[in-house]
Amino acid sequence: MAAKPQVRNAPDAGPAPEDREKHPVDETLPPLKMLTSGLQHVAAMYAGVVAPPLIVGAAVGLSGTELTFLTGASLFTAGLATFLQTLGVWKIGAKLPFVNGVTFAGVAPMLAIVDTTENKADALPVIFGAIIVAGLLGFLAAPWFSRLVRFFPPVVTGTVITLIGVSLLPVAFGWAQGPNPRAEDYGSTTYLSLAGITLVVVLLLRRFTRGFVKQIAVLVGLVIGTLIAIPFGVTDFAPVTEADIVGFPSPFHFGAPQFALAAIISMCVVMLVSMTESTADMLALGEIVDRPADERTIAAGLRADTLGSALSPLFNGFMCSAFAQNIGLVAMTRIRSRFVVACGGGFLVLMGLSPVAASLISVVPRPVLGGAGVVLFGSVAASGIQTLVKAGLEKDNNVLIVAVSLAVGIIPITKPDFYHAFPETAQIILDSGISTGCVAAVLLNVVFNHLGRRQDDDDVTAPMEPGDEISGSRTAKAAHAH
């Protein structure tokens, strides 16, 4: 027994076993569980990664082969950015189970760049040049931007987390209605039934299974939903049969980057929006995995976001940002290991290098993804509500902050054309409910809880319970709130 202290105190000895307990974020899981859980993350984010390159590529007029190449490049760069975020290098990477991929915030300005470029062959090089500059500037600004974390108390983070979930739910509803909004069968009973069946399968698996199967309920639900969809003719295996086995996203495939001032300014605005959303996502994920994101973590995470974005055009990819839908997966499965998400990043890289592998995920019908998305995105909103419970909503100030911020954040969801009269640059920010709600929550928190704060500001004006004394009960509640 006497030898144990000597081993623990020896200069070259590591800590004792009881001192080496790892946080769940830093744990590695058994290989099978690691692989299937990582694949589940890929399935949850796949549609979001491939949609922007398909939209922009179609606007440029790329052929089917070039569109496949551009999509594979986005998967490849998303995997690299996810590696940076989860594994970390130097002071780069939040080292949280954080998935990165192509941000939707850049789609509208990229389409505007395409429209204003005379020679469409130059559109992608102009976009890539603007992303490189915006990424490098964002990387330099990350340490200063991260200091905003002091303005994110629970009343702000809870509001933003709730908004993330609520903002993503319409995406799931859109998936449930079918792949093509212009098709006659969009929103048909067949599509909605497949989404409903997938949702029920996931719920049944979560309710009646245990352990590993319960944790990969979403992945199993996607597989079962896809199999059920085959007799309905909804599952398309053509991408698998037509895809090449091996393909590498050769650098600057569409030409050397070009640097146009207007495009650079536009993408810098998108970068600010992306950094705001990533900050909110890191705060949300930190709460979910019980490792709150501090200023240093957010700075490292933003460096990974921005550096990943700056490097992405080298391999023909677009601006990268956090994927909020995967936060819902972490919240639901409670698998908090960042190495699981890194494994998902590995799958993304492999799919970028093997078009036929990438096409396997694309076989999953959109309605099936929509059914699973209801659970994933709803879980994010529920996590935000849990955080708000801790935020002191017995205070009128905090109730107002939440009420107004949620209203502002929901505007782009309920009225997509609400800001149509504003300049396009302003619409980039205003059309992001997460960004506008986040900014509103931060500003309102400063106004109500910091500027000119008085002792009586914490008094509540909520209805009293029967029998409460005006002078006694309300004062006691206010004191308890402190």
Side-chain angles (χ1 to χ4, degrees), residues 355-373:
V356 69
S359 64
L360 289 174
I361 298 293
S362 66
V363 169
V364 180
R366 287 290 179 86
V368 174
L369 281 173

Side-chain angles (χ1 to χ4, degrees), residues 330-416:
V330 174
M332 191 189 74
T333 63
R334 301 302 297 168
I335 297 178
R336 295 177 279 179
S337 171
R338 59 191 173 98
F339 297 106
V340 164
V341 175
C343 185
F347 279 119
L348 291 171
V349 170
L350 290 176
M351 286 192 294
L353 297 175
S354 176
V356 69
S359 64
L360 289 174
I361 298 293
S362 66
V363 169
V364 180
R366 287 290 179 86
V368 174
L369 281 173
V374 171
V375 178
L376 295 177
F377 306 157
S379 297
V380 178
S383 297
I385 294 171
Q386 288 177 331
T387 303
L388 285 174
V389 170
K390 310 172 187 175
L393 293 185
E394 72 278 2
K395 303 176 184 179
D396 269 1
N397 286 353
N398 288 347
V399 171
L400 287 173
I401 293 169
V402 175
V404 175
S405 300
L406 286 177
V408 170
I410 291 173
I411 287 175
I413 303 172
T414 57
K415 300 290 287 185

